[in-house]
Amino acid sequence: MRIFIASIVLAIAYAIASCSARVVQYPSHIRVKRNSYIVQLHPTAQARCVQAIPGIQVSRHFDMFHGVAVSIGDSVHPSQVANIEGVKAVWPNRVFSLQYQNKTTNGSGEYLHQATRVHQAHTELGLNGTGIKIGIIDTGVDYTHPDLGACWKTPNCPWQYGGSYASDSLSPNDPPMDCMGHGTHVSGIIASRGDRVKGVAPQATLGMYRVFTCSSESADTNDANVIAAMEAAFQDGHDIISMSLGSETAWEEDPVAVLASKFVDAGVVMVVANGNSGASGLLTASTPAVGRNVISVGSVDNWNITSAHAIFTTHTGQHSVLFLPSAAPAPPFIIANNTLVVAPTNNTGSALACTNITNDLSGKVALIQRGECTFSEKALNAQNAGAVAVVIYNNVDGMVDMAFDSNILIPGAFISMGDGRMVEESIRSGRTLVRALESDLITVPSPSGGHMSAFSSLGPTAELGLVPLISAPGGNILSTYPQSMGSYTSLSGTSMAAPYVAGAVALLKQARPDITATHIRELLVTTARPIADSSTGLVSNPYSSGGGLINIYDAIRARARIDPPLLSINNTQREHPGPINSYIRPINAYWEIHTLAIQNTDSAKSMRISLAHIAANSLTMFDKNGTLSQQLLTNQTMPTWPTNTSPVPANTLPQVLGIRGNTLVRPGQSTNITVFIAPPLGLPESERWFYGGFINFKLTWDGESTAFSHVVPYAGFNGDMRKLSVLASAPIGLPFLADSELEPIENVSELTISADTDVYLAVALDLPTRIFAASIVDATNTTRGYLPLGYSEYIGRTLLDEAPYYTIPVNRTVFHDTQMTNSSELSAGSYHVHLKVLRPFGDPALESDFQIWDSDTFKLGD
């Protein structure tokens, strides 16, 4: 597991067990705790069946998960655990790391509460979270902070529950003091009682369950810690559990996601950060956010930014420019004296600094545009050319947090596109200088304020489930911080958005004590406000925003229920029923029909319904030739339709028609509304567009002039997902066989793999796959077995912000079972790699539902 702050991105692919007892195989890039496993038992089995086996030590017991965490000796193979009677599945105990996020100072908390209408819930309705219990699973909390009660489990203290679950050797009774800051920041968003930071539910009763250890180099947790903390929070009777951590996968079969869904079934509201891999495009939502009925949360940028600024002296005078400094371990961006700024180029004239810089930058600050390569590559090239600092400016609107690798020893600053262009023009026109002092702070409106954060992960799930469910402020959020670290700071991430929603749910439960977790989920979605996208003139796609920005005041006062509250379009057909043939053309197109039940919960007044439709942006990750979009690869932004604010043909937008249903609903009664949804027929299916929008119900009650808006977000794929390729397209060179440096082997037919030759299969996945199988085939076309790490299930797509592909060893060792227990060595001869991956919604029993790739023939030597 890892914390979801915006600068942290990990490429995580999951292999999840089937119903039969088996050992899950994770891809090679997944970090696991050595000789440590999570064991799930069948409902009637007891833990003693595992404890009785020599060489297996049980370290934790899980009740709701019904399993144990075990450590095994080197002489014990995990398959032996899987073969114990009563064992359902075995997972390696995953390990993930926390890295610190960029910090700014920000003072716009009150405006956040006005935009989400939390302020009205506080002032008009008198709500503050009293009587509601919120469990937080995080890095701990500085419970001595005056804004957080300055107490731990004493009478009238907000902290009545929790402990330390960060290590098997720690007692859960140990107070969970925060040594990293993240958990203290999350806690302040929920329940700060101070004047500087006003929490959403300041009088809620809290529990902190610390799952991260402290380390000078990294902060780790694992599945065993998280599951133990989740179960402890559940047993403590929390109404809400907030989790600002997770790992990227689009599959809800992950064990932590399954456990979260069990809690929801038992009545607990699970609020989880959706993830921070938005730069990688669609299908980047995390687990357990993808769990069934979990409230997954996306991030909206703050409306103001208060941060450090630099003074650029140009031929037109002095200009104050706000910047975001590069995260640690890079030194702070402090330039005490005016220093010359230059825009360097390479030997081809490129100013992107993605290759060696030909200019001598000794004693100078390098101005570089974002794009085509990583921030660290740009900074390293500037450093190697002698630069004392680097300023990188955006190639799209907005600001992003920037982190460098540990080999970058010079400070860095990130500035907006507009400011960058201004400085670049100044350099062309004459001498430009810059200075930046540590104490200089300014507050400016955020150009992306109120819009979806660029880092916020997007849906759908692997099978087109709609995530996130809702969005909340998460970009540049001021909150409490450990006193030893400065007491207050701003962080960005869906980590910040999830606790905001958790606090808002506490207000809702305080106002309506008997409300169920299902009802809460419905109201959050249907009372949210779709989020405008100024670049297209439409609203953000639900795969980005869910229902939109949380509107807790309307959720509390809602007098209507809509079921279902959202629609995932994943059952497409190629015909129209009679009633809409005259409305949607051509006839030969995809469409879906849905029935929405609308209940009037007002006991005295009749309700009238008016139906409208709000079309959202369509999104794609692909260019017309089927390869991943160059725009996504270079700028970390996805192509959208419309491309700008100019009017577009109506048939390039999705359409919704309400055909049947009563528009007058008596007190306490319900009606059904039938809607037909058609995708944007004018967009080519070959471009793989994901479309969406909002069915907007305007509701009025007798004797009232004000209409209340309820929305039902819908989203789907414009075409047949079952026909799509999972493997990255051939034009970009994948899959391929790679050498020890992970460079493609040009002439595979001349390759001989010997004992001292390292060869790998390199694979990138454009889409998640339920089954991944890489085997080796001999000259008679007989499959001889799986490659090491060659079989996995429920794998996520390859994320662009991490390793560009997965690697699998190719050697003489093959395995004859999917659990990788029965192996043998191949004899010398000619062989090739055979790879197959299951397409979306494919049937594992049908070979035709798999995508196949075969390598050229190579030789295995003696």
Side-chain angles (χ1 to χ4, degrees):
M1 288 291 154
R2 68 173 174 80
I3 292 295
F4 275 141
I5 53 182
S7 65
I8 304 173
V9 283
L10 289 175
I12 304 299
Y14 284 89
I16 310 300
S18 60
C19 293
S20 59
R22 61 180 298 271
V23 180
V24 170
Q25 302 295 324
Y26 285 137
S28 59
H29 67 286
I30 302 296
R31 292 179 61 210
V32 298
K33 187 175 181 181
R34 186 174 182 272
N35 290 346
S36 181
Y37 293 86
I38 305 297
V39 180
Q40 187 177 33
L41 303 173
H42 285 290
T44 58
Q46 301 295 320
R48 61 175 176 267
C49 69
V50 177
Q51 292 173 304
I53 306 300
I56 300 176
Q57 181 178 357
V58 174
S59 56
R60 290 191 189 273
H61 291 79
F62 308 129
D63 295 329
M64 285 288 289
F65 183 74
H66 196 61
V68 292
V70 302
S71 299
I72 64 174
D74 291 335
S75 62
V76 178
H77 193 278
S79 63
Q80 295 174 254
V81 181
N83 290 331
I84 297 172
E85 185 177 358
V87 170
K88 184 177 181 180
V90 179
W91 289 268
N93 192 9
R94 294 169 295 188
V95 174
F96 305 110
S97 297
L98 166 69
Q99 302 174 21
Y100 284 98
Q101 163 67 338
N102 248 341
K103 293 182 284 185
T104 61
T105 303
N106 189 306
S108 58
E110 192 61 37
Y111 186 75
L112 300 183
H113 291 339
Q114 291 172 351
T116 59
R117 307 191 78 183
V118 165
H119 178 75
Q120 287 176 276
H122 288 169
T123 57
E124 294 182 21
L125 305 180
L127 300 172
N128 55 22
T130 297
I132 306 303
K133 296 165 62 175
I134 305 175
I136 307 166
I137 298 174
D138 216 290
T139 67
V141 61
D142 181 0
Y143 46 82
T144 68
H145 198 296
D147 289 3
L148 298 175
C151 57
W152 180 253
K153 293 186 178 180
T154 56
N156 300 317
C157 179
W159 301 101
Q160 291 296 323
Y161 304 95
S164 294
Y165 296 83
S167 170
D168 294 351
S169 61
L170 281 177
S171 167
N173 295 322
D174 291 338
M177 179 55 76
D178 187 6
C179 59
M180 302 170 202
H182 187 277
T184 302
H185 195 275
V186 163
S187 299
I189 292 171
I190 294 175
S192 173
R193 301 178 174 186
D195 293 329
R196 188 172 182 185
V197 175
K198 298 180 179 179
V200 180
Q203 296 301 316
T205 301
L206 306 174
M208 173 58 73
Y209 302 82
R210 180 183 168 200
V211 294
F212 282 83
T213 59
C214 296
S215 170
S216 59
E217 297 181 356
S218 65
D220 291 338
T221 191
N222 54 59
D223 284 333
N225 294 343
V226 172
I227 292 173
M230 290 174 68
E231 293 208 337
F234 178 82
Q235 291 163 0
D236 284 340
H238 288 289
D239 303 292
I240 305 158
I241 296 177
S242 178
M243 299 178 68
S244 288
L245 48 78
S247 300
E248 286 83 357
T249 179
W251 296 96
E252 64 180 39
E253 284 80 359
D254 175 79
V256 179
V258 169
L259 183 60
S261 296
K262 282 186 176 182
F263 288 178
V264 177
D265 292 341
V268 178
V269 180
M270 297 296 299
V271 183
V272 184
N274 200 50
N276 296 329
S277 294
S280 289
L282 293 154
L283 294 150
T284 53
S286 67
T287 183
V290 296
R292 178 181 49 81
N293 293 329
V294 168
I295 297 175
S296 51
V297 186
S299 172
V300 174
D301 278 352
N302 197 347
W303 286 259
N304 294 310
I305 301 175
T306 301
S307 186
H309 73 126
I311 302 296
F312 286 85
T313 302
T314 74
H315 67 287
T316 61
Q318 290 190 338
H319 301 269
S320 178
V321 174
L322 181 143
F323 68 84
L324 296 179
S326 54
F333 192 85
I334 301 173
I335 302 174
N337 301 311
N338 279 326
T339 303
L340 186 65
V341 185
V342 297
T345 59
N346 63 10
N347 54 13
T348 66
S350 172
L352 293 174
C354 290
T355 58
N356 290 336
I357 295 172
T358 55
N359 312 68
D360 181 7
L361 302 184
S362 299
K364 302 171 185 175
V365 175
L367 177 74
I368 300 169
Q369 186 182 34
R370 179 187 183 188
E372 290 195 8
C373 60
T374 67
F375 294 134
S376 293
E377 289 171 312
K378 294 174 184 291
L380 181 61
N381 288 325
Q383 177 176 285
N384 291 341
V388 296
V390 58
V391 175
I392 297 177
Y393 68 95
N394 211 347
N395 51 7
V396 294
D397 290 335
M399 302 275 281
V400 299
D401 295 305
M402 180 173 67
F404 291 157
D405 294 338
S406 59
N407 60 339
I408 306 302
L409 306 178
I410 61 175
F414 191 88
I415 65 177
S416 70
M417 180 170 62
D419 287 333
R421 288 175 175 173
M422 180 273 295
V423 176
E424 185 179 45
E425 176 60 29
S426 172
I427 292 172
R428 286 197 293 263
S429 301
R431 183 179 175 85
T432 301
L433 305 174
V434 65
R435 68 176 175 85
L437 303 180
E438 184 175 17
S439 59
D440 284 350
L441 298 173
I442 59 172
T443 299
V444 298
S446 171
S448 58
H451 297 290
M452 293 304 301
S453 303
F455 56 76
S456 190
S457 287
L458 295 91
T461 67
E463 295 187 330
L464 291 179
L466 204 165
V467 289
L469 195 75
I470 193 76
S471 295
N476 302 306
I477 306 300
L478 176 73
S479 187
T480 49
Y481 217 51
Q483 295 175 91
S484 62
M485 301 179 187
S487 296
Y488 303 95
T489 196
S490 281
L491 296 178
S492 294
T494 55
S495 273
M496 287 62 251
Y500 197 100
V501 171
V505 171
L507 303 183
L508 178 56
K509 284 190 68 69
Q510 181 188 3
R512 305 171 71 164
D514 296 329
I515 194 170
T516 65
T518 298
H519 194 179
I520 288 171
R521 186 172 180 268
E522 291 175 7
L523 289 180
L524 291 184
V525 176
T526 59
T527 61
R529 295 174 173 177
I531 296 171
D533 186 338
S534 58
S535 66
T536 65
L538 300 182
V539 296
S540 294
N541 190 291
Y543 285 147
S544 173
S545 67
L549 180 65
I550 189 171
N551 177 5
I552 197 62
Y553 184 69
D554 280 1
I556 293 167
R557 300 187 306 150
R559 289 176 287 168
R561 294 189 66 175
I562 304 178
D563 182 36
L566 54 85
L567 300 174
S568 297
I569 312 299
N570 60 4
N571 183 24
T572 52
Q573 305 176 54
R574 269 203 176 274
E575 59 180 278
H576 288 308
I580 63 169
N581 279 343
S582 60
Y583 293 93
I584 302 178
R585 299 288 183 179
I587 298 297
N588 185 31
Y590 293 100
W591 59 269
E592 277 221 358
I593 182 171
H594 289 273
T595 298
L596 300 170
I598 305 178
Q599 181 185 8
N600 177 12
T601 59
D602 193 303
S603 60
K605 296 181 179 181
S606 293
M607 177 182 74
R608 285 175 170 79
I609 302 171
S610 174
L611 175 66
H613 174 233
I614 304 172
N617 297 335
S618 291
L619 305 172
T620 185
M621 298 189 297
F622 303 94
D623 287 331
K624 293 181 180 180
N625 64 359
T627 62
L628 275 178
S629 165
Q630 286 300 309
Q631 177 179 329
L632 181 61
L633 293 171
T634 59
N635 298 336
Q636 292 78 55
T637 61
M638 282 184 296
T640 64
W641 183 264
T643 58
N644 53 48
T645 57
S646 299
V648 297
N651 73 340
T652 64
L653 302 177
Q655 300 176 58
V656 172
L657 296 174
I659 304 301
R660 295 185 293 270
N662 295 324
T663 59
L664 178 65
V665 187
R666 300 296 180 188
Q669 299 299 304
S670 299
T671 190
N672 291 334
I673 299 289
T674 299
V675 295
F676 295 90
I677 301 174
L681 308 179
L683 296 182
E685 289 184 18
S686 60
E687 296 178 12
R688 305 185 190 183
W689 291 98
F690 290 77
Y691 66 94
F694 299 84
I695 304 169
N696 187 15
F697 293 94
K698 295 290 186 180
L699 308 178
T700 56
W701 279 263
D702 287 347
E704 301 178 16
S705 59
T706 301
F708 289 81
S709 177
H710 285 247
V711 297
V712 174
Y714 69 89
F717 177 70
N718 184 30
D720 190 345
M721 286 282 288
R722 293 167 295 187
K723 296 179 181 178
L724 295 185
S725 296
V726 174
L727 298 172
S729 302
I732 64 172
L734 289 163
F736 60 77
L737 296 185
D739 59 22
S740 59
E741 302 296 323
L742 299 182
E743 294 294 329
I745 297 172
E746 296 295 336
N747 297 310
V748 173
S749 60
E750 300 177 6
L751 172 67
T752 298
I753 302 176
S754 58
D756 58 354
T757 305
D758 291 326
V759 174
Y760 300 90
L761 169 64
V763 183
L765 303 180
D766 283 350
L767 299 173
T769 184
R770 183 180 164 192
I771 295 177
F772 177 101
S775 55
I776 195 162
V777 179
D778 65 19
T780 67
N781 210 32
T782 300
T783 300
R784 301 297 299 273
Y786 295 111
L787 298 175
L789 302 176
Y791 184 88
S792 295
E793 296 181 6
Y794 298 100
I795 298 183
R797 58 164 288 233
T798 307
L799 298 184
L800 305 180
D801 45 18
E802 285 299 315
Y805 40 73
Y806 305 141
T807 56
I808 299 169
V810 181
N811 51 46
R812 295 180 63 172
T813 302
V814 293
F815 290 84
H816 305 288
D817 64 328
T818 59
Q819 298 187 60
M820 302 289 153
T821 60
N822 180 17
S823 66
S824 64
E825 297 294 307
L826 296 174
S827 59
S830 296
Y831 298 89
H832 74 270
V833 171
H834 179 75
L835 172 64
K836 68 177 188 178
V837 291
L838 190 63
R839 297 181 190 271
F841 300 102
D843 183 347
L846 297 178
E847 192 70 15
S848 59
D849 282 357
F850 285 86
Q851 182 183 0
I852 306 297
W853 177 86
D854 289 285
S855 75
D856 290 339
T857 299
F858 54 85
K859 288 184 172 58
L860 292 178
D862 294 324

